[in-house]
C-alpha cells in the first residue's frame, strides 16, 4: 500500500481541523459541505473491508429523509447488510483522524483486522438525487482507486437497490442479477406470478398513488413502469420535477406530521403511499368519506404481511418458525394483535434497521418493521429451497399456496427494507385478499399515542435497557415514568436519546377515556 500516494490524494479532500463526525445508525449524515473528506475516507475503508471479506462492498451516498442540503454515506456489507459494528468504529476513527494522522489510522485498522494488502478489492457505488451527490460520489471513487481498488459506479440508485446489487454480487448469482434490469425483472416477474391468482373483482382497485418525496424513488418507479403496464397503475406525485427533496412530503413527513404530503391529490378512500428520499421507507394512508386522514404505518404493514404468510403456511400444511420483530415504537395494539389474535411471537429490539434485521435472521421466516415504515421479510435459505420444491410438487389448493409463497419470497428485498418492493408486496396481498385500504386499516385500532422531542444539555446521561424501553440512568427517571404510567389503562411510556439528532425522544401511549375518545375520532392519530 502506497501511503504516500494516499496522503497526497487525501490533501485534495482535506479534513477541516477539529471536525468530528460519528458513524451513527444511518452512517455519516450532515450538511453536504462537510462531507468531502468523509467520502474519500469511506472509499478507502470500503477497499479495506472488501479485502478483508474477499467480497464486494457497497458505498451509498444519501441522507435519506434529511433536507436537500444535507448528505451522507453508508457502507454495505457482503450480504447486503449494514456494516458490522467493529467497522462502524473504524469508520468513526478514520473519519475523525486529523489529516497528518490519517495514514497511521488506516494502517492500524489494516493491522487490527489482518487485511491482506495484496488481496483484490471491489466496491460498488450508488447515489441519490441530491445536487451534492455527484461530486461526493466522485470523492468516494477517488478513495477507492488510490488504494488500487476496482469499482463499479451504478450512478443513481435507491439505497435498497444498492443493497440488492451487493447481495447479488456476493451470492454467485443465486439471489439475482446485479443490474437494474435484473432487479426490475426479478420483482416484476414475482409480482405478475403472484397477482395472477387474484380474482378479477380486485382489478379495479389496482391503482396506487405514490408520493416520491421528490427523490430517487420517482426515477426508479418510472424505469419500472413498463414492467407493470397491465398489473398495476402507479400514479407518481412529488416526482422531483418541481418540488424540493423531502420538503413537506415523503414518508418521514407524513408519519411525523400525521397529514398528507403537499402535492398529492387525495380523493376519499383512495390508496396512497409515501416513500422517503432514498426509497427505503414506506407508509400508506387514505382519506375517509368524512375527510379524515388515516395513516397505515409500518406496524400495520407488518401485520398484513405476517398474516398473509401465516395463512399460506396453514394452507400448505407447513409449520415453520415465524417471528415478527418490532421496536419500542410499535403501537401496543399491533403487538397485542400479533401475539393474541394471530398467535405469532413478537420480539422487540433497539431502534435501527440493523438490530431488527439481525433478530429477524433467527427465524425460518422473520418479518420486521419499524413503525416509521422501514422493513421487509427474511426467509432462511432452507425454507426458500423447500417452498420452491413444494411449489413444483404440490397440487390443487396446496400447490397454489406454495406457488404464491414462492413468488412472494422473490418479491421481498431480503437485503434490506425497500419501499418499491414493499409496495408491490402490499399491492399484491391486497389484490389477492380482495381487501380495501379501509378493511386493512380496520385490522386493529391503534392506541392513541404521542411522540415528542426534548432538547437537553447532554442526552448521553440517559442510558436505556430492555430494547430501549427502560431507562437505567439518570437515577429516578424510570421510577418517575412508572408512577405516571400506572395511572392509566394499557399505558406505556419510554425515553431514549436519539441516535441521529442531539435530542431526547419521549413516547407515550394509553387507552384512557379521554385519549380513547380522541382516538376514536381519528384512530390512527399521533399528536405531534
Ligand atoms: C435511522 C435508522 C432508522 C431509525 C432512525 C431512528 C437505518 C437505516 N435508519 O434513520 O431505522 O428508525 O435512525 O432515529 O437504520 P433516532 O435514533 O433519531 O430516533
Ligand atoms: Zn431512507
Amino acid at each position: 500500500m502506497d501511503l504516500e500516494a494516499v496522503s497526497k490524494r487525501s490533501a485534495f479532500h482535506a479534513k477541516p481541523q477539529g471536525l468530528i463526525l460519528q458513524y451513527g445508525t444511518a452512517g455519516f449524515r450532515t450538511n453536504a459541505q462537510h462531507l468531502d473528506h468523509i467520502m474519500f475516507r469511506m472509499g478507502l475503508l470500503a477497499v479495506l473491508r472488501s479485502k478483508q471479506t474477499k467480497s464486494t462492498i457497497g458505498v451509498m451516498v444519501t441522507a435519506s429523509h434529511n433536507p436537500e442540503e444535507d448528505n451522507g454515506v453508508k457502507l454495505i456489507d457482503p450480504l447486503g447488510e449494514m456494516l458490522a459494528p467493529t467497522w462502524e468504529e473504524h469508520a468513526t476513527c478514520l473519519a475523525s483522524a486529523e489529516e497528518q494522522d490519517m495514514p497511521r489510522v488506516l494502517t492500524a485498522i489494516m493491522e487490527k483486522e489482518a487485511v491482506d494488502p495484496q488481496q483484490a478489492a471491489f466496491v460498488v457505488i450508488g447515489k441519490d438525487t441530491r445536487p451534492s451527490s455527484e461530486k461526493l460520489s466522485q470523492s468516494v471513487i477517488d478513495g477507492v482507486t488510490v488504494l488500487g481498488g476496482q469499482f463499479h459506479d451504478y450512478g443513481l440508485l435507491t439505497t435498497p437497490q444498492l443493497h440488492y446489487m451487493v447481495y447479488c454480487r456476493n451470492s454467485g448469482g443465486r439471489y439475482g442479477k446485479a443490474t437494474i434490469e435484473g432487479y426490475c425483472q426479478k420483482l416484476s416477474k414475482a409480482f405478475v406470478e403472484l397477482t395472477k391468482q387474484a380474482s378479477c373483482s380486485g382489478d379495479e382497485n389496482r391503482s396506487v398513488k405514490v408520493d416520491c418525496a421528490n427523490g430517487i424513488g420517482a426515477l426508479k418507479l418510472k424505469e419500472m413502469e413498463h414492467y407493470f403496464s397491465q398489473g398495476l397503475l402507479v400514479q407518481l406525485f412529488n416526482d422531483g420535477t418541481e418540488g424540493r427533496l423531502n420538503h413537506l412530503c415523503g414518508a418521514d413527513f407524513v408519519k411525523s406530521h400525521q397529514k398528507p404530503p403537499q402535492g398529492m391529490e387525495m380523493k376519499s378512500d383512495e390508496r396512497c403511499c409515501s416513500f422517503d428520499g432514498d426509497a427505503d421507507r414506506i407508509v400508506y394512508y387514505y382519506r375517509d368519506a368524512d375527510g379524515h386522514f388515516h395513516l397505515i404505518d409500518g406496524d400495520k404493514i407488518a401485520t398484513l404481511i405476517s398474516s398473509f404468510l401465516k395463512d399460506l403456511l396453514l394452507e400448505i400444511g407447513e409449520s415453520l418458525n415465524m417471528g415478527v420483530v418490532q421496536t419500542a415504537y410499535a403501537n401496543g395494539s399491533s403487538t397485542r394483535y400479533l401475539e393474541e389474535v394471530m398467535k405469532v411471537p413478537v420480539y422487540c429490539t433497539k431502534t435501527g434497521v440493523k438490530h431488527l434485521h439481525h433478530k429477524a435472521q433467527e427465524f425460518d421466516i422473520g418479518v420486521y418493521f419499524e413503525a416509521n415504515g422501514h422493513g421487509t421479510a427474511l426467509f432462511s435459505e432452507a425454507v426458500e429451497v423447500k417452498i420452491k420444491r413444494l411449489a413444483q410438487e404440490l397440487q390443487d389448493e396446496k400447490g397454489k399456496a406454495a406457488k404464491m409463497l414462492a413468488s412472494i419470497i422473490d418479491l421481498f428485498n431480503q437485503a434490506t427494507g425497500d419501499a418499491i418492493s414493499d409496495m408491490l408486496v402490499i399491492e399484491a396481498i391486497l389484490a389477492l385478499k380482495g381487501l380495501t385500504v379501509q378493511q386493512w386499516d380496520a385490522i386493529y385500532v391503534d392506541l392513541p399515542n404521542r411522540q415528542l422531542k426534548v432538547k437537553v444539555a447532554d442526552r448521553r446521561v440517559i442510558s436505556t435497557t430492555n430494547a430501549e424501553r427502560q431507562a437505567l440512568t439518570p437515577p429516578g427517571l424510570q421510577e418517575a415514568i412508572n408512577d405516571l404510567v400506572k395511572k392509566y389503562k394499557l399505558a406505556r411510556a419510554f425515553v431514549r436519546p436519539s441516535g441521529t439528532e442531539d435530542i431526547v425522544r419521549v413516547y407515550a401511549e394509553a387507552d384512557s377515556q379521554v385519549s380513547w375518545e380522541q382516538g376514536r375520532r381519528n384512530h390512527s392519530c399521533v399528536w405531534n
Side-chain angles (χ1 to χ4, degrees), residues 29 64-65 276-281 374:
R29 226 181 256 187
S64 184
H65 59 272
D276 72 340
D278 62 340
D280 62 355
R281 274 163 62 170
H374 196 141

Side-chain angles (χ1 to χ4, degrees), residues 447 484-493 508-512:
L447 289 180
L484 282 172
V485 163
K486 70 180 179 220
K487 293 186 190 156
Y488 303 95
K489 224 177 121 197
L490 294 181
R492 199 167 66 85
E509 64 181 31
D511 187 25
S512 69

Side-chain angles (χ1 to χ4, degrees), residues 290-469:
D290 299 328
H292 290 135
F293 175 78
H294 296 260
L295 177 71
I296 304 182
D297 66 4
D299 300 338
K300 267 195 182 140
I301 296 175
T303 309
L304 180 77
I305 291 171
S306 42
S307 82
F308 182 74
L309 295 177
K310 196 171 177 207
D311 287 352
L312 287 182
L313 290 174
L314 277 175
E315 187 78 55
I316 303 168
E318 283 292 325
S319 71
L320 297 174
N321 161 23
M322 183 165 106
V324 176
V325 186
Q326 305 183 316
T327 70
Y329 291 107
N331 194 278
S333 291
S334 74
T335 316
R336 239 185 318 282
Y337 183 84
L338 285 161
E339 284 179 334
E340 291 171 17
V341 182
M342 280 182 55
K343 310 278 184 225
V344 176
V346 181
Y347 299 82
C348 185
T349 68
K350 290 206 276 190
T351 302
V353 170
K354 65 181 175 196
H355 301 295
L356 292 104
H357 192 93
H358 282 135
K359 185 69 194 171
Q361 283 173 323
E362 290 176 14
F363 305 94
D364 293 335
I365 302 179
V367 179
Y368 74 85
F369 265 88
E370 289 190 306
N372 64 22
H374 196 141
T376 187
L378 307 180
F379 301 81
S380 75
E381 213 172 313
V383 162
E384 205 170 320
V385 170
K386 186 174 189 180
I387 297 298
K388 293 199 169 155
R389 180 173 53 77
L390 290 175
Q392 305 281 327
E393 288 173 8
L394 295 174
Q395 302 293 323
D396 308 324
E397 288 307 302
K398 278 183 184 224
K400 193 174 150 188
K403 283 189 186 73
M404 289 210 271
L405 192 50
S407 298
I408 207 165
I409 291 175
D410 281 344
L411 194 50
F412 280 108
N413 185 339
Q414 293 191 55
T416 195
D418 180 334
I420 295 179
S421 140
D422 288 340
M423 181 188 86
L424 295 174
V425 165
I426 292 163
E427 290 301 317
I429 295 176
L430 294 178
L432 287 162
K433 290 264 177 196
L435 281 178
T436 64
V437 69
Q438 297 87 334
Q439 287 166 329
W440 172 22
D441 188 30
I443 293 179
Y444 60 80
V445 177
D446 275 327
L447 289 180
N449 58 84
R450 187 166 188 180
Q451 208 192 124
L452 296 174
K453 291 182 186 189
V454 182
K455 187 97 187 125
V456 297
D458 182 4
R459 74 191 200 278
R460 288 168 305 180
V461 300
I462 297 179
S463 62
T464 62
T465 184
N466 190 12
E468 302 176 321
R469 288 171 294 186

